Amino acid sequence: MIDQHIASAFDRDLEEIQAHVMKMGGLVEDSIREGARSLKMRDEELAEKVRKADKQIDALDTKIQEECARLLALRQPIASDLRTVLTVMRVAANLERVGDYAKNMAKRTTVLVHMQPIDGASGAIKRMAKEVRLMLSDVLDAYIRRDVDLAQDVRHRDIEVDQMYNALFREFLTFMMEDPRNISSCMHLHFIAKNIERMGDHVTSIADQVIYLVTGEMPEEARPKGNSVNYNLEAQMGLERET
Amino acid sequence: MIDQHIASAFDRDLEEIQAHVMKMGGLVEDSIREGARSLKMRDEELAEKVRKADKQIDALDTKIQEECARLLALRQPIASDLRTVLTVMRVAANLERVGDYAKNMAKRTTVLVHMQPIDGASGAIKRMAKEVRLMLSDVLDAYIRRDVDLAQDVRHRDIEVDQMYNALFREFLTFMMEDPRNISSCMHLHFIAKNIERMGDHVTSIADQVIYLVTGEMPEEARPKGNSVNYNLEAQMGLERET
């Protein structure tokens, strides 16, 4: 068995790293909320703030990866301790990606504020972003509490996010076909919607990690990334244009 | 110092894992090539093959991640050996993402074959995909040979990929504005171009890992992901529509 002293040192180190992960998660939640709000309010200053905040998120990711590497080298954990450290590294990597997508939303917002608004689009995007943000908040709770049921719940909610994306895709296509002057802005909005849909995939991936951490196995019906996005719908829309 | 016997066992295990990484890299290269070819040739069967091949790529990633975790637990490497294992895990994760984007290109191809072709687009995308595929091939060479110069070269070439993307973005926008019947197909083509641009970012990230592995430091002027994509161009295109 592992020496009690060593085990405690490991736990202490791990706790410190996990605090950084939670801080990172909070910053990413803020970025999603403020990114979507900057789009809705056409607030260029807020968008700029979100873009800058991503540097802090990236720095935290780097810090966490380095601390995990040091922990592996110093404490040489095995079994479930090792699994925990590897999970922390993956969770941080996923958070970093979500942060990137939020930054991207802010970047596109600074472009969109100079364009004609598209009716209802920024509101619909804000609702989609909110759903993903709540999923992120819950999955971080699930991680801290090692709560498999909550993690499963988050996974199921990602299906709704995909449905929201499909509805938006259809809407943007209609707007573009109605008036070519909408094309530029709809392309940016479509990318934002797609990026939020991808945030959902990364949150789902964190949920998978939580389940792996507790049960030792990845969820059986692990949804392939983005698989529930309706390519058939996209196809139909295209085929409709052909007929 | 580490016992010679232990060191050799580590090296042997690592070599086996690295062989899997190289195999994975080869499969991803194939997927990029065949994904782009299926689009160019409007070959639905080939696209289907690429989609199926991604399962194999994902399985290899899972295998590599598990083997690395086992290696960490069993051999408890420190210093540069630990760094190598962590790098292998990140390289495999990056390859998995590139594979996802190739699969996505194939998925959209199965939709695009039922639409009116866009003049010159699939050829331009094929050239862009080829550049990324060659970068990937070189970065895997750089990884095996621990060649920092070659890794640096790959990083610089990603700028060209970003420029190709910017040119395509401009082209698709023009096509869509000229004729609304092009909108559906151009949106798919635009996503494919964007995904190839992202493949380039992941290949660049592997190049960064190679440099980190050899020098112990991440490249100083590490380009933030996708930063050289010309949002100003996108903005101008939008603003032009306003005036």
Side-chain angles (χ1 to χ4, degrees):
Chain A
M1 292 309 293
I2 298 165
D3 177 322
Q4 184 60 34
H5 174 71
I6 302 287
S8 304
F10 172 83
D11 288 343
R12 211 168 47 236
D13 288 351
L14 182 65
E15 209 167 300
E16 198 181 312
I17 297 175
Q18 288 191 141
H20 286 137
V21 173
M22 289 303 119
K23 188 182 171 191
M24 193 180 170
L27 289 176
V28 173
E29 280 179 49
D30 290 348
S31 281
I32 299 173
R33 179 178 29 234
E34 293 181 355
R37 196 160 61 121
S38 72
L39 176 67
K40 180 86 170 63
M41 308 303 287
R42 301 171 76 80
D43 185 338
E44 225 170 331
E45 217 168 294
L46 187 58
E48 190 52 41
K49 196 189 143 206
V50 172
R51 291 173 67 162
K52 282 194 181 135
D54 191 55
K55 288 203 178 64
Q56 212 185 332
I57 292 169
D58 286 353
L60 266 171
D61 177 41
T62 306
K63 195 186 178 74
I64 290 163
Q65 304 297 342
E66 283 172 1
E67 281 172 350
C68 283
R70 198 158 46 231
L71 187 59
L72 289 174
L74 202 63
R75 310 290 176 201
Q76 312 212 331
I78 53 165
S80 80
D81 284 345
L82 173 62
R83 200 157 71 196
T84 304
V85 178
L86 295 176
T87 302
V88 166
M89 294 172 86
R90 284 188 206 124
V91 169
N94 274 298
L95 287 174
E96 191 270 333
R97 303 283 308 176
V98 176
D100 265 0
Y101 288 130
K103 179 186 72 180
N104 200 281
M105 171 158 57
K107 267 189 183 175
R108 292 187 187 274
T109 290
T110 59
V111 176
L112 281 162
V113 293
H114 300 289
M115 295 181 183
Q116 191 69 27
I118 300 292
D119 264 358
S122 64
I125 284 179
K126 195 159 175 270
R127 282 190 295 281
M128 198 178 160
K130 188 181 175 185
E131 180 56 30
V132 169
R133 182 169 53 78
L134 294 176
M135 281 166 59
L136 175 58
S137 172
D138 283 348
V139 87
L140 292 174
D141 272 359
Y143 171 74
I144 284 300
R145 291 172 5 213
R146 304 288 191 263
D147 184 337
V148 171
D149 290 339
L150 186 54
Q152 286 287 12
D153 180 57
V154 168
R155 295 176 79 245
H156 289 302
R157 276 149 64 193
D158 191 42
I159 296 165
E160 283 166 49
V161 173
D162 289 348
Q163 282 166 352
M164 284 166 139
Y165 164 74
N166 287 331
L168 271 172
F169 175 84
R170 189 197 298 260
E171 210 175 305
F172 293 144
L173 218 49
T174 312
F175 271 116
M176 287 196 274
M177 282 167 185
E178 269 170 20
D179 186 347
R181 283 171 301 179
N182 292 329
I183 289 178
S184 281
S185 47
C186 279
M187 281 184 75
H188 284 294
L189 288 165
H190 181 203
F191 256 113
I192 289 176
K194 186 75 189 171
N195 284 344
I196 297 173
E197 186 261 318
R198 286 203 176 115
M199 285 181 197
D201 290 343
H202 284 283
V203 172
T204 301
S205 168
I206 296 177
D208 290 347
Q209 292 298 325
V210 172
I211 292 165
Y212 169 73
L213 191 58
V214 179
T215 67
E217 278 177 27
M218 291 295 272
E220 263 194 51
E221 10 80 84
R223 295 192 318 107
K225 272 180 286 303
N227 213 30
S228 64
V229 166
N230 195 340
Y231 278 91
N232 283 334
L233 168 68
E234 296 190 1
Q236 277 162 27
M237 305 292 292
L239 289 170
E240 268 171 36
R241 300 288 324 159
E242 299 286 288
T243 52
Chain B
M1 290 309 294
I2 297 165
D3 178 323
Q4 185 58 36
H5 174 72
I6 302 287
S8 304
F10 172 83
D11 288 344
R12 211 168 47 236
D13 289 349
L14 183 65
E15 209 166 301
E16 198 180 313
I17 296 175
Q18 288 190 141
H20 287 136
V21 173
M22 287 305 119
K23 188 181 172 192
M24 193 180 171
L27 289 176
V28 173
E29 280 179 50
D30 290 348
S31 281
I32 300 173
R33 179 179 28 235
E34 294 182 354
R37 197 160 60 123
S38 71
L39 176 67
K40 181 85 170 63
M41 308 303 286
R42 302 171 76 79
D43 185 338
E44 224 170 333
E45 217 169 294
L46 187 58
E48 189 51 41
K49 195 188 143 207
V50 172
R51 291 174 67 162
K52 283 195 181 134
D54 191 55
K55 288 204 178 63
Q56 211 185 332
I57 292 170
D58 286 351
L60 266 171
D61 177 41
T62 306
K63 196 186 178 74
I64 291 163
Q65 304 297 342
E66 282 172 1
E67 281 173 350
C68 284
R70 198 160 44 231
L71 187 59
L72 289 174
L74 202 65
R75 310 290 177 202
Q76 312 211 331
I78 54 166
S80 81
D81 284 346
L82 173 63
R83 200 158 71 196
T84 304
V85 178
L86 295 176
T87 302
V88 166
M89 294 173 87
R90 285 189 206 124
V91 168
N94 274 300
L95 287 175
E96 191 271 332
R97 303 283 308 177
V98 175
D100 266 359
Y101 288 130
K103 178 186 69 178
N104 199 280
M105 172 157 58
K107 269 189 182 177
R108 291 187 187 274
T109 291
T110 59
V111 176
L112 280 162
V113 292
H114 300 288
M115 295 180 183
Q116 191 67 26
I118 301 292
D119 263 358
S122 64
I125 283 178
K126 195 159 176 269
R127 282 191 295 281
M128 197 177 160
K130 188 181 175 186
E131 180 56 30
V132 170
R133 181 169 54 77
L134 295 176
M135 281 166 60
L136 176 58
S137 172
D138 283 348
V139 88
L140 291 174
D141 272 1
Y143 171 75
I144 285 299
R145 291 172 6 212
R146 304 288 189 265
D147 184 336
V148 170
D149 290 340
L150 186 54
Q152 286 287 12
D153 180 57
V154 168
R155 294 176 80 247
H156 290 302
R157 276 150 64 193
D158 191 42
I159 296 164
E160 282 167 50
V161 173
D162 289 348
Q163 283 166 351
M164 284 166 140
Y165 165 73
N166 286 330
L168 271 173
F169 174 84
R170 189 197 297 260
E171 211 174 302
F172 293 145
L173 219 49
T174 312
F175 271 116
M176 288 197 271
M177 282 166 185
E178 269 171 18
D179 186 347
R181 283 171 301 180
N182 291 330
I183 290 178
S184 281
S185 48
C186 279
M187 280 183 76
H188 285 295
L189 288 165
H190 182 203
F191 256 115
I192 290 176
K194 186 73 189 174
N195 283 343
I196 298 173
E197 186 261 318
R198 287 204 175 114
M199 287 182 195
D201 290 343
H202 283 282
V203 172
T204 301
S205 168
I206 297 177
D208 290 347
Q209 292 297 326
V210 172
I211 293 165
Y212 168 73
L213 192 58
V214 179
T215 67
E217 278 177 28
M218 291 295 273
E220 262 192 53
E221 10 80 84
R223 294 192 319 108
K225 272 181 285 302
N227 213 31
S228 64
V229 167
N230 195 341
Y231 280 90
N232 283 335
L233 167 68
E234 296 190 1
Q236 277 163 25
M237 304 293 292
L239 289 170
E240 269 171 32
R241 301 286 326 159
E242 302 285 288
T243 51

